[in-house]
Amino acid sequence: MRLAILLSGRGSNFAAIHDAIARGVFDADIVAVISNRPEAPGIARAGEIGLPAHVIDHKKFATRESHEQEVLRVLAAAKPDFIALAGYMRLLSASFIAAYRNRILNIHPSLLPAFPGLDAQQQAFDYGVKMSGCTVHFVDEHLDAGPIIVQRAVEVRDDDTAETLAARILVEEHVAYVDALVRLSTRRFRIEGRRVIFEE
Ligand code: GRF
């Protein structure tokens, strides 16, 4: 599997994916790591590890389209089979998504379709749900809405804060993202309606 990673910040999901590949959990090459933020710890780490790390700073482009064109240019050269969004804080245009239909993955820190958008852990905490979790899904034209590949549940405890809940969800995110990529790298799948079905 040729894998590209897009991130904007901390990069713990990227690190978990990289570690799993390094440990031989699944067979993949990270062919590009792209950050729209020069100061993202995740892109510094990618560089230290010796991966192809690209800062494509959206603030240096006049338009959203021109920034995205540069991201697409780097991806076209890297030829990824799949693109993993790992805390990438930019919306992708419909044409970007169409170019990589069912090949772009995202991770979201709630059990979708509950609590899409920003601060999902805080939203879940404030709502008072007793279970939350995380979702790895294909990216479609709608926010946090594409077909679901893997979910993992996390109990909300009475003594939680939004921060302690987020920390426990993050542990499961790392497992879920690797699980999704293991499946995609080893099994065929089909999509029926919204359902992602892995074949034996
Ligand atoms: C994670 O909580 C992920 O679910 C969300 O953004 C955060 C990224 O964290 N999409 P990290 O940069 O992978 O540590």
Side-chain angles (χ1 to χ4, degrees):
M1 174 193 275
R2 296 174 67 81
L3 183 63
I5 309 252
L6 271 57
L7 55 77
S8 301
R10 182 175 56 183
S12 73
N13 278 286
F14 152 61
I17 293 165
H18 175 263
D19 290 351
I21 296 168
R23 282 186 283 118
V25 174
F26 68 106
D27 189 15
D29 286 323
I30 297 179
V31 293
V33 184
I34 299 173
S35 174
N36 66 305
R37 293 211 179 112
E39 70 281 9
I43 201 69
R45 172 141 189 190
E48 286 158 20
I49 296 168
L51 293 172
H54 306 264
V55 172
I56 307 176
D57 184 350
H58 63 279
K59 292 190 185 129
K60 295 204 168 144
F61 292 80
T63 63
R64 172 174 289 279
E65 291 70 31
S66 59
H67 174 258
E68 194 176 87
Q69 283 307 315
E70 180 60 12
V71 174
L72 283 166
R73 194 188 64 72
V74 170
L75 288 172
K79 297 187 176 53
D81 300 310
F82 290 95
I83 300 166
L85 308 184
Y88 187 62
M89 302 303 285
R90 305 278 297 171
L91 292 175
L92 305 181
S93 72
S95 61
F96 188 123
I97 293 161
Y100 292 96
R101 169 78 50 201
N102 296 333
R103 292 163 61 199
I104 309 172
L105 286 68
N106 183 44
I107 184 145
H108 184 76
S110 74
L111 292 176
L112 291 171
F115 313 121
L118 290 175
D119 291 328
Q121 306 96 327
Q122 183 78 51
Q123 290 186 56
F125 181 81
D126 291 344
Y127 195 95
V129 292
K130 299 299 185 191
M131 294 293 286
S132 192
C134 59
T135 304
V136 181
H137 63 92
F138 286 119
V139 172
D140 70 7
E141 287 74 12
H142 306 284
L143 181 67
D144 300 327
I148 291 168
I149 305 166
V150 169
Q151 292 189 300
R152 290 182 70 86
V154 173
E155 190 175 353
V156 184
R157 298 179 188 154
D158 288 347
D159 62 354
D160 263 331
T161 62
E163 289 71 31
T164 60
L165 175 62
R168 287 206 316 292
I169 291 174
L170 188 63
V171 173
E172 299 305 320
E173 290 185 38
H174 299 160
V175 177
Y177 225 149
V178 170
D179 185 10
L181 290 165
V182 167
R183 289 179 196 221
L184 290 171
S185 68
T186 55
R187 292 166 70 180
R188 293 182 176 281
F189 69 94
R190 63 183 192 278
I191 298 182
E192 288 180 5
R194 291 193 42 88
R195 303 181 64 231
V196 178
I197 298 165
F198 285 92
E199 294 168 4
E200 286 311 313

